[in-house]
């Protein structure tokens, strides 16, 4: 039955790809155009194609193909011009003036009239940012404008933003997909359905979306960016996504050459693909390339502090869990050495404010002592906690479950679909949960916002409902300091207070791991794991012939 399912799956994807190629390439032979179509799978699915609601990594990656903002990031997270060809900042650090390119056009749509498109103007950014602020829309990205006093189009090509107070990291916020430009006439025509009828300015334009089945983008023939030789970007003709929810099936499709790219590691295939020390196995070396690099992503377990469960309320138990398992051993056995054990705080390695001395080391005897102290103080002889995770992180949670059982704490592990877990976490429905936090921009402030009391979930990202007056004071103070060396000391102080209260269990600081077929070039890698296909090329894959 399993074999029959795999055959059916391969047949279905083959038919889908043939249909796509036929649609994309007119009367040309599929074999002549296959190298112009980049295919990959997104197992976590896509929620929206509206950048104002693009809050997950997978949503950001697809929106990155469709939309542009004033500025953008390169693979080293340097901030570069995008629709704004340049910008200036006033001496008081509060006013940002952007000069826009004159050759940026929205994707074609009949609502634009006889030319089917139109030039992007500064007024489009006024509309887009006002939309982001609209309380009726309730876009999750509205928070990026919290420090903004006002903004305006000075004329068609000059856009100005004024801040309430200086905030050195602000320009980084504008690189987020939330701040993409969208056309008023198209958004107002589709309303909430803009999520599935996107019109942007990006290197690719929307063609087709069958939710949970496939998503197709076509090359934007009027895209404004060129490479260093003056050649117009992008190089690819199309991008085709599938949405197989099973990572093992995704790996099989990749190994057989049916998709071009595989992201990250999963327990179902990691030992098949990698050696115990994280190297690509010889059997795949001729057909697959592997790249790995820093990833500004902290994986952690969190506690909901407003829980009525005594074990969750107890700092003794929360600290015991932090001391009670070996992170280095966990990474070696469960990740083949990919990633770094989180023995520091929540701020990951590579960001100013990271400090390896403020976290927890492996001390099993100390964990036992803390648990026994809890038993003595509360009279609870068999302490017990329920940890909720998605299936992709089940092995980590079971590892911690086994280790803490040795120390005298029973941990029950429940598995939820990722979307259900996100909703439950935001609404305080789970006492202990697995989660991750990926940097949106190169400043530790976006990590520490998770500890700020005014960001209580569901309205913000403080899923713990942690409130500390010193943390709030230091967090607000950081916005007034432009010198990064001074700011990082405040950041470390905030992180250390959160660790002292043990409101979370940092697991590991991740690495970006990407696998591509040998015929794929130019995908690159970056510390926020954003996909950028502008400079990707494909040649004919000889390894599958």
């Amino acid at each position: 039955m399993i074999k029959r399912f795999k055959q059916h799956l391969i047949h279905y994807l083959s038919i889908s790809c043939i249909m796509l190629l036929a649609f994309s390439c007119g009367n040309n032979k599929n074999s002549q155009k296959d190298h112009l179509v980049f295919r990959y799978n997104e197992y976590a699915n896509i929620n929206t194609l509206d950048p104002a609601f693009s809050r997950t990594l997978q949503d950001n990656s697809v929106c990155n193909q469709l939309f542009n903002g004033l500025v953008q990031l390169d693979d080293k997270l340097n901030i570069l011009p995008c629709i704004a060809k340049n910008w200036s900042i006033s001496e008081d650090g509060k006013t940002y003036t952007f000069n826009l390119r004159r050759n940026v056009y929205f994707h074609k749509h009949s609502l634009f009239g006889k030319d089917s498109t139109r030039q992007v103007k500064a007024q489009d950014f006024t509309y887009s940012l006002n939309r982001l602020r609209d309380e009726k829309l309730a876009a999750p990205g509205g928070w990026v404008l919290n420090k903004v006093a006002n903004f305006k189009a000075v004329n068609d090509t000059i856009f100005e933003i004024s801040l309430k107070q200086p905030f050195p990291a602000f320009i980084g916020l504008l690189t987020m997909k939330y701040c993409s430009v969208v056309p008023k006439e198209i958004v107002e025509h589709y309303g909430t359905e803009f999520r599935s009828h996107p019109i942007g300015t990006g290197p690719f334009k929307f063609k087709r979306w069958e939710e949970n089945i496939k998503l197709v983008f076509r090359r934007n023939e009027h895209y404004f960016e060129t490479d260093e030789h003056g050649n117009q970007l992008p190089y690819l003709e199309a991008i085709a996504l599938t949405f197989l929810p099973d990572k093992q099936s995704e790996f099989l499709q990749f190994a057989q050459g049916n998709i071009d790219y595989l992201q990250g590691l999963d327990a179902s295939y990691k030992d098949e693909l990698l050696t115990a020390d994280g190297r690509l196995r010889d059997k795949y070396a001729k057909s697959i390339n592997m790249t790995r690099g820093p990833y500004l992503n902290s994986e952690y377990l969190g506690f909901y502090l407003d829980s009525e469960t005594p074990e969750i309320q107890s700092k003794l138990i929360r600290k015991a869990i932090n001391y009670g398992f070996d992170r280095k051993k966990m990474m070696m056995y469960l990740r083949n050495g990919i990633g770094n054990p989180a023995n520091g705080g929540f701020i990951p390695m590579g960001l100013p404010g990271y400090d390896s001395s403020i976290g927890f080391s492996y001390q099993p005897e100390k964990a036992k002592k803390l648990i026994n102290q809890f038993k003595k103080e509360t009279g609870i002889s068999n302490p017990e906690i329920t940890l909720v995770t998605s299936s992709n992180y089940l092995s980590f949670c079971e590892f911690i479950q086994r280790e803490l059982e040795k120390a005298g704490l029973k941990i029950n592990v429940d598995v939820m679909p990722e979307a259900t877990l996100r909703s439950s976490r935001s609404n305080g429905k789970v006492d202990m949960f697995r989660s991750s936090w990926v940097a949106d921009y190169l400043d530790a402030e976006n990590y520490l916002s998770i500890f700020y009391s005014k960001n209580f979930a569901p309205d913000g990202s403080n899923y713990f409902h942690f409130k500390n007056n010193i943390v709030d004071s230091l967090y607000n103070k950081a916005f007034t300091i432009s010198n990064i060396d001074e700011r990082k000391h405040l950041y470390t102080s905030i992180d250390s207070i959160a660790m002292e209260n043990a409101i979370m269990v940092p697991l590991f600081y991740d690495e970006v791991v990407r696998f591509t077929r040998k015929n794929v070039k130019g995908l690159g890698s970056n510390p926020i794991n954003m996909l950028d296909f502008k400079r990707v090329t494909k040649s004919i894959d000889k390894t599958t012939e």
Side-chain angles (χ1 to χ4, degrees):
M1 182 174 181
I2 294 175
K3 182 178 180 182
R4 188 163 62 248
F5 169 75
K6 290 177 180 177
Q7 290 172 338
H8 175 74
L9 185 61
I10 294 168
H11 175 72
Y12 172 80
L13 288 175
S14 299
I15 293 296
S16 297
C17 290
I18 291 170
M19 289 176 65
L20 168 65
L21 288 167
F23 188 79
S24 301
C25 306
N27 295 323
N28 292 322
K29 293 182 180 180
N30 295 337
S31 60
Q32 295 175 330
K33 293 290 185 178
D34 180 63
H35 67 285
L36 296 178
V37 181
F38 189 90
R39 300 162 296 175
Y40 76 101
N41 185 68
E42 184 50 78
Y43 79 92
N45 219 325
I46 301 297
N47 303 298
T48 183
L49 299 176
D50 183 342
F53 291 86
S54 181
R55 64 188 304 173
T56 67
L57 178 61
Q58 59 270 21
D59 291 347
N60 276 325
S61 285
V62 293
C63 284
N64 195 44
Q65 318 314 318
L66 299 173
F67 298 95
N68 298 107
L70 291 163
V71 289
Q72 61 184 329
L73 296 172
D74 66 9
D75 280 350
K76 295 182 180 179
L77 299 192
N78 296 308
I79 298 172
L80 303 178
C82 193
I83 294 179
K85 59 184 177 182
N86 55 56
W87 65 91
S88 60
I89 306 172
S90 62
E91 288 188 11
D92 64 4
K94 294 170 63 176
T95 303
Y96 291 68
T97 303
F98 299 89
N99 296 301
L100 307 189
R101 302 176 191 266
R102 298 176 183 269
N103 62 335
V104 182
Y105 292 84
F106 288 112
H107 301 153
K108 288 185 176 182
H109 195 284
S110 60
L111 286 175
F112 289 132
K114 64 177 183 178
D115 294 329
S116 298
T117 186
R118 72 165 175 83
Q119 181 183 0
V120 173
K121 298 181 179 181
Q123 292 84 350
D124 292 306
F125 279 99
T126 301
Y127 170 76
S128 300
L129 297 188
N130 273 326
R131 178 174 182 258
L132 198 59
R133 270 184 166 176
D134 187 352
E135 293 182 1
K136 294 180 180 179
L137 188 69
W143 64 268
V144 302
L145 302 177
N146 286 348
K147 302 293 185 296
V148 173
N150 55 67
F151 44 80
K152 64 180 180 180
V154 177
N155 55 39
D156 286 352
T157 60
I158 298 178
F159 185 66
E160 187 177 277
I161 301 176
S162 298
L163 305 185
K164 299 173 184 176
Q165 62 187 50
F167 179 38
F170 175 70
I171 193 73
L173 285 175
L174 294 179
T175 67
M176 298 178 67
K177 301 320 295 180
Y178 293 137
C179 300
S180 301
V181 68
V182 295
K184 178 180 179 179
E185 55 267 68
I186 305 297
V187 174
E188 293 188 347
H189 173 74
Y190 286 112
T192 57
E193 291 304 307
F194 183 70
R195 67 176 291 278
S196 55
H197 295 83
I199 294 293
T201 59
F204 295 89
K205 57 188 179 182
F206 172 74
K207 190 64 186 180
R208 183 180 181 186
W209 186 18
E210 296 178 34
E211 295 198 42
N212 305 313
I213 299 175
K214 72 161 79 171
L215 176 62
V216 180
F217 297 154
R218 289 291 307 275
R219 180 177 185 269
N220 176 12
E221 63 273 22
H222 300 296
Y223 190 58
F224 61 93
E225 287 192 281
T226 59
D227 65 17
E228 60 273 19
H229 303 295
N231 299 312
Q232 187 185 32
L233 299 173
Y235 304 128
L236 293 168
E237 182 62 31
I239 299 172
L241 283 76
T242 52
F243 299 100
L244 292 172
D246 178 57
K247 292 289 287 182
Q248 176 66 16
S249 298
E250 180 183 68
F251 172 70
L252 289 172
Q253 289 299 302
F254 176 69
Q256 294 166 7
N258 294 321
I259 57 177
D260 302 305
Y261 163 71
L262 183 69
Q263 178 170 288
L265 288 179
D266 186 77
S268 64
Y269 62 75
K270 67 178 183 64
D271 293 323
E272 165 70 14
L273 196 54
L274 298 181
T275 61
D277 59 353
R279 292 179 295 106
L280 195 64
R281 291 194 180 276
D282 292 341
K283 63 184 290 188
Y284 293 107
K286 291 183 179 180
S287 59
I288 292 172
N289 284 324
M290 172 184 170
T291 59
R292 57 188 287 191
Y295 188 8
L296 297 181
N297 173 36
S298 294
E299 297 286 342
Y300 70 95
L301 307 180
F303 301 101
Y304 180 60
L305 302 181
D306 280 343
S307 167
E308 296 180 358
T309 304
E311 288 87 344
I312 297 294
Q313 294 175 351
S314 172
K315 190 189 297 187
L316 297 172
I317 293 295
R318 300 198 304 265
K319 284 191 171 184
I321 296 173
N322 270 287
Y323 284 122
F325 66 100
D326 188 338
R327 291 167 174 81
K328 183 176 180 181
K329 180 180 177 182
M330 179 182 72
M331 296 305 294
M332 184 59 66
Y333 283 110
L334 301 182
R335 293 270 298 183
N336 295 58
I338 303 294
N340 296 287
N343 291 318
F346 187 47
I347 299 173
M349 300 169 66
L351 276 185
Y354 166 78
D355 188 334
S356 61
S357 69
I358 65 175
F360 294 86
S361 58
Y362 177 47
Q363 300 185 49
E365 292 304 317
K366 192 167 186 176
K368 288 181 183 179
K369 184 178 179 180
L370 289 168
I371 292 170
N372 287 332
Q373 184 179 345
F374 171 81
K375 292 178 180 179
K376 182 178 180 180
E377 291 181 2
T378 64
I380 298 175
S381 57
N382 296 300
E384 185 174 341
I385 285 181
T386 297
L387 167 59
V388 181
T389 182
S390 61
S391 58
N392 292 324
Y393 290 86
L394 178 59
S395 58
F396 291 90
C397 295
E398 289 179 336
F399 176 87
I400 295 168
Q401 177 189 48
R402 290 191 296 269
E403 294 300 297
L404 266 297
E405 187 176 6
K406 299 173 186 176
L409 176 65
K410 182 179 180 181
I411 297 180
N412 303 305
V413 179
D414 283 354
V415 177
M416 284 184 182
E418 185 67 38
T420 305
L421 176 54
R422 284 199 300 267
S423 175
S424 299
R425 178 192 64 196
S426 294
N427 291 290
K429 299 290 182 63
V430 288
D431 286 346
M432 185 181 180
F433 52 88
R434 190 225 62 88
S435 192
S436 59
W437 190 269
V438 181
D440 296 314
Y441 52 94
L442 266 182
D443 193 278
E445 179 274 333
N446 74 126
Y447 276 85
L448 303 180
S449 64
I450 203 170
F451 304 139
Y452 188 49
S453 66
K454 292 186 178 180
N455 288 337
F456 272 22
D459 298 323
S461 55
N462 188 337
Y463 309 118
F464 323 102
H465 281 205
F466 174 62
K467 179 176 177 57
N468 183 284
N469 291 333
I470 297 176
V471 165
D472 287 352
S473 176
L474 292 175
Y475 181 78
N476 287 320
K477 183 179 179 180
F479 291 115
T480 67
I481 298 175
S482 58
N483 185 289
I484 185 59
D485 289 325
E486 293 181 34
R487 263 203 337 275
K488 73 179 182 182
H489 292 301
L490 295 182
Y491 291 160
T492 302
S493 296
I494 294 171
D495 206 3
S496 64
I497 292 171
M499 290 304 104
E500 172 58 30
N501 283 275
I503 66 172
M504 62 162 52
V505 183
L507 299 177
F508 62 93
Y509 312 120
D510 209 353
E511 285 186 276
V512 173
V513 184
R514 293 179 172 180
F515 304 95
T516 55
R517 305 291 305 179
K518 283 286 187 181
N519 63 324
V520 173
K521 306 294 182 185
L523 183 58
S525 180
N526 57 77
I528 59 173
N529 207 11
M530 181 78 77
L531 289 175
D532 184 351
F533 295 116
K534 285 183 296 192
R535 290 175 170 79
V536 171
T537 61
K538 276 181 62 180
S539 57
I540 297 174
D541 190 354
K542 301 292 186 180
T543 64
T544 58
E545 294 183 350

